[in-house]
Amino acid sequence: MLFSTATGYALRALAALPEDGSFCLAKDLSASLELPGPYLAKILQGLVQAEILESVRGPKGGFRLLRPSHRITVGEVVIALEGPNSMDGCIMGFPTCGGDHPCPLHEAWGAVKAQVATSMTEATIRDLQLMDLRHQKDAKDRPPCEKP
Amino acid sequence: MLFSTATGYALRALAALPEDGSFCLAKDLSASLELPGPYLAKILQGLVQAEILESVRGPKGGFRLLRPSHRITVGEVVIALEGPNSMDGCIMGFPTCGGDHPCPLHEAWGAVKAQVATSMTEATIRDLQLMDLRHQKDAKDRPPCEKP
DNA sequence: TTGAATTCATCCTTTTTTGTCTTAAATTAG
DNA sequence: CTAATTTAAGACAAAAAAGGATGAATTCAA
């Protein structure tokens, strides 16, 4: 996979969050997505600091999206988790690879990076919501956060 | 970088090896490329087991390519270091992503993977030899293994 | 107001990757 | 045959990632 597992967990969690402004518990998210709970909690905290999520603690608290899901791009989440320069650099890690000393994969990889970058800035969390990210055996279960 | 650092080290070392069948010391390779010596030695051993390199120990020993450099593809080295399935899987790590449940980046990433895979099987170590992989300040130094 | 339940936030293990070191085995030269 | 050289193989250490356990803060009800 191109991104870290933490980034994948973050994207899955964001896609599972409801869009109506109701709060969702980290525990319910991890249970619904079958992700390690404490690790996901730590990732969610990072998304709070990146001003993608909002958190409230105490009863009736939890996490919720700070913006509507179609205003959060996949690229934004990747940058929040992996830094702004994660896609820079040579595909093989050659320090001398550059415009004047290109490696054999430089051009192909450059085109690829541009295409992926474009796709990432165009795709939003709303696009992710359209696919069912839970495992098949749990697809029939209730959504992570039910309304009253 | 798309690959692991170990894979990058392996590719750099292979590109630095001479093509005339002479042996090269692991110590000289790591010094010339400014790579951690013992770690590179371990990687070279793996390349021997993958039947990409040949090793002989004792005085006048060292490592050398088992085949001419244009018969060793980059993809072969990547597979030897990272396994045959390193490029499979969803770009975001979604377990349910597939032909019937594609993620928003599925198609773009699929095209990209195919292009990179093709480039990797076409590019050989000889192509890497054409670029100078040592740091600029050392570019004027002697090659890692000089002939008698 | 007080306390108890709930929930996020912070710190502590485990695992993987990366990097180092030591010892043994093999080859060559004298 | 001895000594010097060099890889092979293993244990060992450090860093990062992944996962887990505990504590601090908030809410609500009595």
Side-chain angles (χ1 to χ4, degrees), chain A residues 72-76 79 114-124, chain B residues 105:
Chain A
I72 304 173
T73 67
V74 172
E76 180 181 0
I79 289 176
Q115 188 172 349
V116 169
T118 299
S119 300
M120 285 200 308
T121 56
E122 287 176 354
T124 68
Chain B
L105 303 180

Coordinates of all heavy atoms in Angstrom, one line a residue, chain A residues 72-76 79 114-124, chain B residues 105:
Chain A
I72 N -13.8 17.8 2.8 CA -12.5 17.2 3.3 C -12.0 16.3 2.2 O -12.6 15.3 1.9 CB -12.8 16.4 4.6 CG1 -13.5 17.3 5.6 CG2 -11.5 15.9 5.1 CD1 -13.9 16.5 6.9
T73 N -10.8 16.7 1.7 CA -10.2 15.9 0.6 C -9.3 14.8 1.2 O -8.8 14.9 2.3 CB -9.4 16.8 -0.3 OG1 -8.2 17.2 0.4 CG2 -10.1 18.0 -0.8
V74 N -9.2 13.7 0.4 CA -8.3 12.6 0.8 C -6.9 13.2 1.0 O -6.1 12.8 1.9 CB -8.4 11.5 -0.2 CG1 -7.3 10.5 0.0 CG2 -9.8 10.9 -0.2
G75 N -6.5 14.0 0.0 CA -5.1 14.6 0.1 C -4.8 15.3 1.4 O -3.8 15.2 2.0
E76 N -5.8 16.0 1.9 CA -5.7 16.8 3.1 C -5.4 15.8 4.3 O -4.6 16.1 5.2 CB -7.0 17.6 3.4 CG -7.0 18.4 4.6 CD -8.3 19.1 4.8 OE1 -9.2 18.9 3.9 OE2 -8.5 19.8 5.8
I79 N -1.9 14.4 4.0 CA -0.9 15.4 4.5 C -0.9 15.5 6.0 O 0.2 15.6 6.6 CB -1.2 16.8 3.8 CG1 -0.8 16.7 2.3 CG2 -0.4 17.9 4.5 CD1 -1.2 18.0 1.6
A114 N 1.9 12.8 -10.0 CA 1.0 13.9 -10.4 C -0.4 13.4 -10.5 O -1.4 14.1 -10.0 CB 1.5 14.5 -11.7
Q115 N -0.6 12.2 -11.1 CA -1.9 11.7 -11.3 C -2.6 11.3 -9.9 O -3.7 11.7 -9.7 CB -1.9 10.5 -12.2 CG -3.2 9.9 -12.6 CD -3.1 8.8 -13.6 OE1 -2.0 8.6 -14.2 NE2 -4.2 8.1 -13.9
V116 N -1.8 10.7 -9.1 CA -2.3 10.4 -7.7 C -2.6 11.6 -6.9 O -3.6 11.7 -6.3 CB -1.3 9.5 -7.0 CG1 -1.7 9.3 -5.5 CG2 -1.2 8.1 -7.7
A117 N -1.7 12.6 -7.0 CA -1.9 13.9 -6.3 C -3.2 14.5 -6.7 O -4.0 15.0 -5.9 CB -0.7 14.8 -6.5
T118 N -3.4 14.5 -8.0 CA -4.7 15.1 -8.5 C -5.9 14.4 -8.0 O -6.9 14.9 -7.6 CB -4.7 15.1 -10.1 OG1 -3.6 15.9 -10.5 CG2 -6.0 15.7 -10.6
S119 N -5.8 13.0 -8.1 CA -6.9 12.2 -7.6 C -7.2 12.5 -6.2 O -8.3 12.5 -5.7 CB -6.7 10.7 -7.9 OG -6.5 10.5 -9.3
M120 N -6.1 12.6 -5.4 CA -6.3 12.8 -4.0 C -6.9 14.2 -3.6 O -7.7 14.3 -2.7 CB -4.9 12.7 -3.3 CG -4.4 11.3 -3.2 SD -3.2 11.2 -1.9 CE -2.1 12.5 -2.4
T121 N -6.6 15.2 -4.4 CA -7.2 16.5 -4.1 C -8.6 16.6 -4.6 O -9.4 17.4 -4.2 CB -6.4 17.6 -4.7 OG1 -6.2 17.4 -6.1 CG2 -5.0 17.7 -4.0
E122 N -9.0 15.7 -5.5 CA -10.3 15.7 -6.1 C -11.3 14.8 -5.2 O -12.4 15.1 -5.0 CB -10.3 15.3 -7.5 CG -9.8 16.4 -8.5 CD -9.7 15.9 -9.9 OE1 -10.0 14.7 -10.1 OE2 -9.4 16.7 -10.8
A123 N -10.7 13.7 -4.8 CA -11.6 12.8 -4.0 C -11.8 13.3 -2.6 O -10.8 13.8 -2.0 CB -10.9 11.4 -3.9
T124 N -13.0 13.2 -2.1 CA -13.3 13.7 -0.8 C -13.8 12.5 0.1 O -14.0 11.4 -0.4 CB -14.4 14.8 -0.8 OG1 -15.6 14.2 -1.2 CG2 -14.0 15.9 -1.8
Chain B
L105 N -10.0 6.0 -5.6 CA -8.7 6.0 -6.2 C -8.3 4.7 -6.9 O -7.2 4.5 -7.4 CB -7.6 6.4 -5.2 CG -7.8 7.7 -4.5 CD1 -6.6 7.9 -3.5 CD2 -7.9 8.8 -5.4

